[in-house]
Amino acid sequence: MFNLKVCVIGGAGYIGSHAVYELIRDGHEVVVIDNLSTGLREMVHKDAKFYLGDITKKGELSSIFKKECEKKPFDVVMHFAAKLIVPESLDQPLEYYHNNVEGVRIMLEVMTEFNIKNVVFSSTAAVYGEPVKNICEEEDPTIPVNPYGETKLASEKLIKWVCKKYNMNYCIFRYFNVAGADETLEIGLKKDNLTHLIPVAIQAALGLREKMIIFGDDYDTRDGSCIRDYIHVSDLAYAHVLGAKYIYENNKSLLVNLGSNKGFTVKEVVKEVEKYIKVPYEIGPRRPGDPAQIVASNKKAKEILGWEPKRGLSDMIKSDMEFRKKNS
Ligand code: UDP
């Protein structure tokens, strides 16, 4: 057992806040930096130190690093501070490149100035673009089809080049679909205008929205609706603890998908929610840009990190439902 000092940039957001909880459970020291543009101060674990700061402003980031690293340098920096809404990225490409790519560039510049050697980066299945086969592997072609995916791929490449030049290590995780809430129900997905399937179905079930729409049931899948690979946010967050320890201990980089190897259709997800409460829904037209199936191979994550999801779809639904009941 060893303790790392970890800087979590974007630690007040949905996935970042869960990573902070898992790091603290594993005994690490955590410093959170967040500009609270979408994150919430109340989502930051009470044992983490919090700084309000924006990584696209170098002065702000440098002064936080100076203060913290004088005492004890960070062992690892984790980045969760990206904008991540696909339609918004099409509408605001300049803002997306600025926040997502320039933010990473400045973070890396500051890391090199303070001689910090390890970076863990949240990336996405969106870097692959249209799937080329049923189960997506890390070596598949990366041809993003929207600015969000492009900015994540550009950041991945920037991280790789900088790590090569400055003898640093990276751990890049490509996420698929994420849902659920921490078992304490202190944190979860709390946002206005939610668009993701699981929280939308639960909001409809709880009467927090009138109904939900299933976007298309004429796809070439087992029941006509789209197939996705869903991971519980706490499993995903725990992978970051393993990834951070792996690159720190082995002085090596890695890039892995975080998925479950299996997919559920939209209708199967709705049926699972209906085990608890009825979901008012209608079948609507396809949503533009939705591939029929996206499922991740998790072979590499298993082999290298010994990681695989411990929780299933029903755990995601139950925890999100409890969190939503508590917060509505
Ligand atoms: N979906 C749906 N109705 C909704 C939200 C999502 O039918 O209100 C479908 C969507 O078309 C996709 C799947 O659910 O096939 C997962 O969508 P989500 O937005 O949660 O994540 P994505 O896979 O787009 O990242």
Side-chain angles (χ1 to χ4, degrees):
M1 171 89 180
F2 58 95
N3 305 107
L4 300 174
K5 180 170 179 178
V6 185
C7 173
V8 182
I9 299 174
Y14 175 47
I15 298 174
S17 64
H18 284 81
V20 171
Y21 269 58
E22 294 302 329
L23 283 163
I24 287 173
R25 282 183 184 130
D26 204 54
H28 306 287
E29 181 184 349
V30 180
V31 173
V32 170
I33 304 175
D34 200 297
N35 66 4
L36 299 183
S37 63
T38 53
L40 297 165
R41 178 66 182 90
E42 76 231 34
M43 300 264 278
V44 179
H45 195 291
K46 62 174 179 19
D47 295 339
K49 191 157 180 193
F50 176 76
Y51 289 93
L52 182 65
D54 191 328
I55 58 164
T56 62
K57 300 192 176 97
K58 190 176 172 192
E60 288 186 14
L61 196 61
S62 293
S63 72
I64 298 169
F65 269 56
K66 187 160 184 291
K67 217 165 150 191
E68 279 299 323
C69 297
E70 260 170 13
K71 290 182 267 176
K72 180 178 181 283
F74 294 124
D75 298 305
V76 179
V77 173
M78 292 189 180
H79 181 282
F80 296 92
K83 289 183 173 281
L84 76 179
I85 300 168
V86 170
E88 188 180 76
S89 77
L90 288 156
D91 196 44
Q92 304 170 15
L94 292 168
E95 178 53 26
Y96 266 67
Y97 272 81
H98 177 67
N99 186 79
N100 291 4
V101 184
E102 180 64 2
V104 169
R105 196 197 67 75
I106 290 174
M107 172 191 80
L108 292 167
E109 196 170 74
V110 173
M111 284 179 71
T112 61
E113 287 168 9
F114 286 85
N115 201 25
I116 315 283
K117 293 290 183 196
N118 300 289
V119 58
V120 177
F121 181 68
S122 302
S123 190
T124 165
V127 299
Y128 295 111
E130 289 293 325
V132 290
K133 48 188 178 19
N134 283 345
I135 304 279
C136 178
E137 292 178 299
E138 290 82 352
E139 295 70 31
D140 286 356
T142 47
I143 310 167
V145 292
N146 51 57
Y148 168 58
E150 289 284 8
T151 60
K152 287 304 216 175
L153 186 59
S155 301
E156 283 190 6
K157 289 182 178 172
L158 175 59
I159 288 168
K160 287 178 183 172
W161 288 117
V162 171
C163 286
K164 191 176 159 81
K165 161 73 187 163
Y166 295 95
N167 292 319
M168 294 160 62
N169 307 305
Y170 62 80
C171 170
I172 295 173
F173 286 127
R174 290 180 179 157
Y175 305 164
F176 287 68
N177 293 61
V178 186
D182 187 74
E183 62 187 10
T184 61
L185 303 179
E186 289 168 1
I187 53 172
L189 181 59
K190 207 173 178 184
K191 254 186 219 157
D192 298 331
N193 308 321
L194 286 169
T195 60
H196 289 304
L197 175 63
I198 291 179
V200 164
I202 291 171
Q203 282 185 327
L206 294 176
L208 301 170
R209 63 171 73 211
E210 194 194 334
K211 61 177 179 213
M212 67 158 293
I213 310 290
I214 292 180
F215 297 140
D217 71 346
D218 57 351
Y219 287 92
D220 184 17
T221 59
R222 52 186 176 262
D223 63 17
S225 63
C226 289
I227 296 177
R228 294 290 182 273
D229 188 337
Y230 297 89
I231 294 290
H232 193 292
V233 65
S234 299
D235 285 331
L236 187 91
Y238 186 62
H240 292 70
V241 177
L242 297 176
K245 292 205 262 197
Y246 178 88
I247 61 172
Y248 179 84
E249 270 184 308
N250 297 291
N251 198 22
K252 261 191 197 162
S253 294
L254 83 155
L255 182 156
V256 291
N257 286 340
L258 293 179
S260 74
N261 245 13
K262 70 172 186 275
F264 290 95
T265 69
V266 175
K267 288 182 180 174
E268 286 163 354
V269 171
V270 171
K271 248 183 232 148
E272 189 64 37
V273 178
E274 291 203 307
K275 285 188 182 162
Y276 305 94
I277 325 180
K278 197 166 166 32
V279 179
Y281 70 85
E282 278 172 17
I283 309 289
R286 290 183 177 195
R287 186 173 69 177
D290 271 345
Q293 167 158 340
I294 305 180
V295 176
S297 161
N298 65 357
K299 192 164 165 260
K300 202 170 163 191
K302 231 188 255 182
E303 272 170 16
I304 301 181
L305 295 177
W307 177 88
E308 60 186 327
K310 289 198 204 112
R311 302 162 182 89
L313 186 63
S314 65
D315 301 305
M316 293 174 230
I317 288 171
K318 271 186 278 180
S319 60
D320 186 87
M321 195 178 284
E322 291 309 315
F323 179 76
R324 229 152 276 294
K325 278 189 199 160
K326 190 179 156 206
N327 288 284
S328 62

